[in-house]
Amino acid sequence: MSDHLDRDFAGYGAHPPDPQWPSGARLALNFVINVEEGGEPSVPDGDPATEASLTEAGGDPMPGRNLAAETMFEYGSRVGFWRIARLFTERGLPATAMACGLALERNPQIAAFLREADFDGCAHGWRWEHHRLLSREEERTRIARTVAAFRRHLGAPPAGWYCRYGPSLNTRSLLVEHGGFLYDSDAYNDELPYWTTVGGHPHLVVPYSLVTNDAKFIRGGYSTAEDFFVNLKDAFDWLRAEGASRPKMMSVGLHLRVAGHPGRAAGLARFLDYAARHDDVWICRRDAIARHWRTTHPPAT
């Protein structure tokens, strides 16, 4: 284990550990549903411009209020969430809700659904803001406020943490200082969880991915539901084949205002049905991956 700010180019190298997934699964597959609507930068909340980077409006550079982009975010909570949620509940599949604290405050119907669903919670910050621009005390306050929102609206603290625009140099140490987090996902550097050391304490990282992620619809990587399905299927098939000797994990990122549209949800539905046909794959929540790793691969002493 090394300090969390030291760069590690080697990782597990040529001989990654056997994760020993439950029932000998070849792959741990986790779906992340991002609940962000209402937590994005907006002029009514005091920001200089409306967030438009993950909407059909593209990266609008104009300052001021963008009413079109605002309604694209609203589509996510009004329509997209319920379409995606139905895809999972109808199939009896679990997922992880990666939610902004402010989004939970502003979407009580979604919070009520999440309290009852087989979805675990991962904190996605209080709202969308650049943590690298916050002071240590400001960031400490944001973390506490977000945890309080999860407790108030979901009845439990978040199991993990993931910053919208990336962490600051202080984020991970503040998470350890706050306590109660099983993991954070502010890393993209592996296909297995790993331990690091933060202030002398072991801390678990469960890496995320922006590759198997519906954001590529907005960024030009996907055009159709078939593009989405094929990319997910190819990644799944490759990792499952490798899993005969080297099991890994796969994260699929979903956004309410992106995959929640019908022409994209069709690709997600195809992939859910495809993945569910394989009984040697563990489709699971993110907190389950963290708990399994902590039990099966505890930090070295």
Side-chain angles (χ1 to χ4, degrees):
M1 294 187 294
S2 61
D3 185 87
H4 71 291
L5 294 179
D6 290 341
R7 299 190 69 186
D8 180 358
F9 293 95
Y12 291 123
H15 303 287
D18 180 354
Q20 301 175 51
W21 300 133
S23 302
R26 290 186 173 198
L27 174 65
L29 174 61
N30 171 243
F31 293 91
V32 170
I33 301 173
N34 290 273
V35 180
E36 303 163 331
E37 284 68 9
E40 79 280 0
S42 68
V43 173
D45 285 333
D47 298 293
T50 301
E51 176 71 35
S53 64
L54 271 184
T55 70
E56 312 306 312
D60 181 3
M62 294 291 290
R65 194 169 182 182
N66 183 329
L67 297 181
E70 285 184 12
T71 61
M72 292 174 196
F73 273 91
E74 290 164 12
Y75 178 94
S77 54
R78 291 165 62 118
V79 181
F81 175 82
W82 304 106
R83 178 170 288 125
I84 292 173
R86 282 195 299 272
L87 290 178
F88 283 87
T89 55
E90 288 171 357
R91 291 161 175 78
L93 295 176
T96 296
M98 193 174 273
C100 296
L102 185 56
L104 293 178
E105 296 269 3
R106 290 175 166 170
N107 292 286
Q109 292 185 64
I110 290 176
F113 174 90
L114 293 175
R115 283 197 299 272
E116 304 299 327
D118 188 16
F119 294 6
D120 63 312
C122 176
H124 200 10
W126 170 245
R127 65 192 299 261
W128 285 19
E129 56 189 342
H130 291 274
H131 279 239
R132 285 168 288 179
L133 300 180
L134 299 176
S135 70
R136 187 177 180 89
E137 185 54 39
E138 287 171 333
E139 192 170 11
R140 179 184 287 116
T141 299
R142 301 298 198 280
I143 292 170
R145 184 184 298 172
T146 305
V147 171
F150 270 73
R151 288 186 181 276
R152 183 164 58 253
H153 296 287
L154 301 187
W161 181 275
Y162 176 71
C163 290
R164 165 62 177 89
Y165 297 110
S168 76
L169 297 179
N170 297 316
T171 303
R172 195 162 279 166
S173 64
L174 288 170
L175 295 177
V176 172
E177 174 190 294
H178 186 281
F181 291 97
L182 294 178
Y183 68 93
D184 79 61
S185 288
D186 279 322
Y188 307 92
N189 53 3
D190 215 303
E191 293 169 343
L192 286 174
Y194 62 87
W195 291 98
T196 189
T197 302
V198 183
H201 301 281
H203 177 74
L204 184 64
V205 179
V206 180
Y208 191 44
S209 175
L210 298 180
V211 177
T212 45
N213 192 298
D214 69 357
K216 299 173 87 66
F217 276 111
I218 306 301
R219 293 169 177 157
Y222 301 141
S223 296
T224 68
E226 187 66 11
D227 293 338
F228 190 29
F229 170 68
V230 169
N231 186 36
L232 296 182
K233 178 182 179 297
D234 284 351
F236 176 93
D237 289 344
W238 188 282
L239 289 169
R240 180 172 168 269
E242 282 189 344
S245 59
R246 293 178 176 82
K248 298 291 180 63
M249 61 173 284
M250 175 178 170
S251 299
V252 177
L254 306 169
H255 297 79
L256 313 183
R257 63 199 174 278
V258 182
H261 285 275
R264 297 163 178 169
L268 173 60
R270 281 177 225 162
F271 181 67
L272 291 176
D273 292 338
Y274 179 78
R277 290 201 295 269
H278 296 81
D279 58 10
D280 56 359
V281 172
W282 182 35
I283 302 177
C284 57
R285 300 171 7 162
R286 211 162 185 82
D287 66 343
I289 292 175
R291 294 181 196 280
H292 174 85
W293 202 267
R294 294 173 78 92
T295 299
T296 309
H297 296 280
T301 57

